[in-house]
Amino acid sequence: MPTHSPARRLDGLGTTIFAEMSALALATGSINLGQGFPDSDGPIEVADAAVAAIRAGINQYPPGPGIPDLRLAVTEHQQRFYGLRLDPDTEVVVTTGATEAIAAALLGLVDPGDEVIALEPFYDSYTAGIAMAGGVRVPVTLRAPDFRLDVDRLRAAVTARTRLVLLNSPHNPTGTVLSEEELTAVAELAVQRDLIVVTDEVYEHMTYGVPHRPLATFPGMAERTLTVSSAGKTFSFTGWKVGWACGPARLVRAVLTAKQFLTFVSGAPFQPAVAVGLRLPDTYFTGLADSLRGKRDRLVEGLRTVGLEVFVPQGTYFVSADVRSLGYDDGVTFCRDLPQRAGVVAIPHQVFYDDIEAGRPLVRFAFCKRDDVLDEAIDRLQRLL
Ligand code: PMP
Ligand code: GLN
C-alpha cells in the first residue's frame, strides 16, 4: 500500500474544530452552539436579489476582482460608516469569504521565514494560512478575564523579521473590541516599524455599547492596512462565501494575484445580492446589533444560572466561559462530555492557542440562534447541575 503523507506545510492542521464539533452535534442530536452560523436567514431582499440574479442568467464567471457594482457598494459602505474613501477599481477585491481574503493576503504578502504577529487565541484559519505561506506565527495573548491587548507585549513581539500584524477586532473567540487606545498603539507601532496590518473586521456590525473603529481610520494606517470583511457575518448568509478585502492598491493587488489561482473568481449571482445588502438603510445594521445584544444577554444570563463564570463579550456573536466552576479543568474534556451530558455543543478555546495553559479552562458558545433555541440550550445545560 502506498503511504503518501501530506506536505509538511500541513503538519498539525488536521480537521478544523468547527467541522469536528458540528459533526458531533449532528451525530448526537445536540444543539449546536459551537460553529458560528445563524439559524435564521438574512434579509429577504438580499435573498431575492440572489434568486433574481440566477434567473437573469448571472451564472458565468464574473470578473476576478468582483463585479464592479459590488466593489462600488463596498466603497460606499466604508465611506458611509467610517468616512474611508476607496477607489472601487483598484482598492477592493471580492473574495470567497473572509477566509480566502486572509489566505490570499498571507500568500500574497508573506515570504517564507517572515514573522506574522497575531492575537492569541487565533481564529483557526490564521494559523493555517500563516503555515501555508511559510510564515512564522508570533502570538500576543489576550488573557482572561478581560482579554485586553497588552501593548507592551505587542511592541516586544516586533523584530527585524516582522512582516505583518494580523489583527482581529471584534475578536473571535473572546468578543474583545479593541479600544481607541489599543488601536492607536497598534497604529503607532505599525507606522514606526513600517509594518503591514491585515485587519479582520468580519464582526464590524456586531458590537454592544462600544464603537467599532476600523484600524484604517487611524493616522498613517490607510496606506498600510488591508481590511477584511464578509457578507456571511453581516447579512447572515455564511454559506454564500462572499467576502472582500480593501485597502491600498498594492496590497489589494497582492491578494488578487494569489486569489486568481486559489478560486479565480467568486460566486457570480451572490455578488449583486451582497451589493443590495451593503446598501440597506442604517436601521438594518443597528437592528442586527440590537437583536444580537438581546441574545447575548439571554445566553450570558442563562450560562450564569448554570454556574459558569461568563466573560461578557463587547462584540461578535460568541460568549466565553470558564468551566472550572463546574468541576472541569480542561475545556476540551468539557466540550467532549457536553453532548452526552447535556445535548449541547460548544468549542474549546484551547485549540486556538500556542500557550495552551492560557486557554485550557475556557470554552466558547455561539448566540446567533433563535431565542427559543437558546432557551432550550440553557434548559439542557441545567442537567449539568
Ligand atoms: N474571520 C473570523 C474572525 C471569523 O470568525 C470567520 C468565520 N466566519 C471568518 C474570518 C471567515 O469568514 P467567511 O465565512 O466569510 O470565510
Ligand atoms: N467563523 C465561524 C466560527 O468561528 C465558523 C467558520 C468555520 O466553520 N470555519 O465559528
Side-chain angles (χ1 to χ4, degrees):
M1 267 305 262
T3 54
H4 304 135
S5 50
R8 278 189 299 276
R9 72 176 69 87
L10 301 188
D11 277 356
L13 296 186
T15 302
T16 89
I17 189 70
F18 304 114
E20 186 189 335
M21 297 315 270
S22 283
L24 186 62
L26 211 59
T28 57
S30 294
I31 295 181
N32 190 355
L33 303 187
Q35 192 176 31
F37 61 89
D39 60 359
S40 309
D41 275 344
I44 188 69
E45 55 272 56
V46 176
D48 283 346
V51 172
I54 291 173
R55 292 277 183 210
I58 306 195
N59 298 307
Q60 309 308 328
Y61 296 128
I67 62 163
D69 193 49
L70 176 53
R71 283 184 275 124
L72 180 63
V74 169
T75 65
E76 289 167 1
H77 171 277
Q78 295 305 91
Q79 168 86 50
R80 164 159 64 132
F81 288 100
Y82 311 123
L84 286 166
R85 299 175 73 93
L86 292 156
D87 177 349
D89 290 329
T90 58
E91 296 183 322
V92 183
V93 54
V94 174
T95 55
T96 300
T99 307
E100 190 196 32
I102 293 158
L106 292 166
L107 291 169
L109 295 167
V110 173
D111 275 317
D114 282 353
E115 291 176 4
V116 176
I117 297 176
L119 304 183
E120 175 182 68
F122 325 97
Y123 178 60
D124 71 342
S125 86
Y126 300 175
T127 356
I130 294 168
M132 290 194 285
V136 177
R137 71 174 178 272
V138 176
V140 173
T141 309
L142 306 179
R143 290 179 191 281
D146 297 329
F147 301 110
R148 298 316 315 178
L149 175 63
D150 183 334
V151 172
D152 292 332
R153 283 201 187 270
L154 176 67
R155 274 194 208 101
V158 178
T159 74
R161 299 290 305 169
T162 308
R163 171 72 164 161
L164 66 80
V165 178
L166 177 50
L167 211 66
N168 173 214
S169 179
H171 181 262
N172 177 9
T174 65
T176 292
V177 179
L178 294 178
S179 67
E180 178 93 19
E181 294 71 32
E182 289 164 325
L183 290 166
T184 301
V186 174
E188 285 174 359
L189 186 64
V191 170
Q192 196 181 39
R193 302 298 296 263
D194 193 25
L195 305 174
I196 301 167
V197 185
V198 176
T199 171
D200 176 348
E201 303 185 357
V202 298
Y203 299 103
E204 60 187 316
H205 290 291
M206 298 170 192
T207 66
Y208 316 116
V210 293
H212 167 69
R213 287 275 319 267
L215 188 71
T217 61
F218 285 71
M221 292 312 289
E223 62 260 40
R224 60 180 66 252
T225 303
L226 188 76
T227 305
V228 172
S229 197
S230 170
K233 303 293 154 180
T234 300
F235 303 110
S236 300
F237 289 115
T238 61
W240 287 11
K241 296 301 297 185
V242 175
W244 52 89
C246 53
R250 66 180 194 294
L251 299 185
V252 166
R253 212 176 308 116
V255 174
L256 182 57
T257 304
K259 185 224 154 68
Q260 292 179 97
F261 304 109
L262 292 171
T263 54
F264 180 46
V265 298
S266 302
F270 297 124
Q271 295 192 32
V274 172
V276 168
L278 287 167
R279 292 181 175 126
L280 288 172
D282 289 3
T283 47
Y284 167 73
F285 299 89
T286 51
L288 176 71
D290 288 346
S291 153
L292 283 168
R293 186 187 189 132
K295 293 179 187 298
R296 175 196 68 167
D297 294 344
R298 200 177 197 96
L299 187 60
V300 164
E301 198 42 49
L303 293 175
R304 283 186 173 145
T305 65
V306 178
L308 284 159
E309 184 191 353
V310 182
F311 307 105
V312 181
Q314 299 174 306
T316 75
Y317 42 51
F318 304 113
V319 53
S320 296
D322 189 320
V323 298
R324 283 177 293 191
S325 50
L326 291 183
Y328 284 86
D329 56 13
D330 191 305
V332 171
T333 315
F334 177 84
C335 288
R336 292 216 194 290
D337 285 0
L338 201 57
Q340 304 301 339
R341 285 193 64 194
V344 173
V345 158
I347 299 280
H349 266 227
Q350 220 178 103
V351 297
F352 306 128
Y353 288 79
D354 285 337
D355 179 359
I356 301 281
E357 288 314 312
R360 190 178 293 284
L362 306 176
V363 302
R364 186 196 85 175
F365 297 88
F367 55 79
C368 46
K369 306 293 173 184
R370 295 193 321 263
D371 287 350
D372 59 303
V373 172
L374 295 174
D375 291 346
E376 169 67 18
I378 295 300
D379 278 352
R380 292 184 181 196
L381 287 167
Q382 305 291 338
R383 294 180 202 159
L384 292 173
L385 291 174

